[in-house]
Amino acid sequence: TANAIYGADAHVSGGEVHCTVFGPNANGHHQSLLIGILWPLGRGNVGYGSNVGSNHTGRIPDQETSVGEGTFWGLGSVIKFPVDLTHAPYSIVAAGVQLPPQRITLPFSLITDGPNNMNLLTPGWLLHYSPYTIARSEVKFANRRMAKRHDFYTGWKILRAGVMDMLVDARESLLSAGRRQQQQQQQSGGEGTSGNRAPASAVQGYKTDKAIPGLGANQLTEKGRQIGIKAYTAAIQRYALRGLLHRLVTMAKAQDEVLSAEDVLRHVGLEGVLAVSGHDMETTTSSTSKVNWPVLPWNEEAHTDPEAQWKHQHSLLMKELPSIISSTTNTNNNNNNNISILSTLLQKCVALEQDHAKRVYQSKSRDDARGAKTVPGYADVHVAAEKDSVALAAREEAESVKRDVAVVEEMMGIATGGGGARSRL
């Protein structure tokens, strides 16, 4: 190693690391190569044989790669500079993949070998198919924090405000691609389709960032685009709704008097919400088109200020409201219907947490089943998903959310149809 800067709790025990910023909780335990890497947020892993060091153009060694938080470099991957993954945190470059120069802004992606000598990218793959990885990482990073004077530099959440903003931008890129395909189909005389789904007859796939900004030099199937939209939407709404629930539970603990519907809705900023409930999902302009570094976690206002975090969650919640409630509520502007909307949001929160816990369990149980079918005695020496601490914690978290929602609904009289009730917490 030479001319390298290592973050807190980083580990390197093999390979070469030169002219590199190797961030906190990053790991390089095997023979691999890192040259000219800017990885300030670390938290990733460098697999055996990874060659992340093609910094020389044949003219001068003036190329770098900026790496996103939590990036996983697979076995034998070859990265040709320059590459920017800073707006694609917690993405996996699969074993043997050769990554040409590019910029990717689709978080939690899986990049594998694809047909026609072009890599295949699945956005949101980690959120949708392997949430166990994220849940385990949250615990792992917390338990492995040994730095005493730099806890601000190692103690941030994975699914935080800055990452949510990246998901919003990434989802809009995927949605916009579908809308463009729909318009092209209509202009060519074909039948229209729903706003989120492009016509199957018109879509053979999307290639490079000319088709979808942030796709880089990869290709994406229509199925992959739908997976990304679903995964990003679930994560955004789960984050926003958990903020709403926390706000309501905190209010319930602090109140002894009877609360009216108006007081509750005003406290969570949902008064007059029916005025927006019938509109389509608000579109946004992506902020990732400009090449820059994401805001560092410890510089995010929401990192240390709970009110700033709630403000951010509330902002996202208001944008997500139409897609959550438009098909389940009427538009009569009265307190009962406003409370009904709030109940719908709380039940959506429960559903998302239960779905998350289910997928955490399933992602672990798939590995259990594959191992048992392949390796003799596998089940005898590995902890099954039914007893796994991460899967159990996810299930308990979902049950905790369900209990909190039940108490909040009782406090507000939702279950009995009342307009207000005394706090039971």
Side-chain angles (χ1 to χ4, degrees), residues 81-103:
F81 291 14
V83 168
D84 177 23
L85 300 178
T86 54
H87 286 79
Y90 295 93
S91 291
I92 298 175
V93 180
V97 166
Q98 294 192 27
L99 207 64
Q102 60 188 292
R103 182 170 187 259

Side-chain angles (χ1 to χ4, degrees), residues 270 272-281 317-333 337-338 341 345:
L270 291 179
V273 70
L274 287 169
V276 299
S277 63
H279 297 282
D280 293 331
M281 182 183 294
L317 178 60
M318 295 303 291
K319 295 175 181 178
E320 297 297 314
L321 274 174
S323 66
I324 298 174
I325 65 178
S326 61
S327 62
T328 57
T329 60
N330 57 50
T331 56
N332 293 324
N333 191 12
N337 285 318
N338 275 303
I341 287 176
L345 295 177

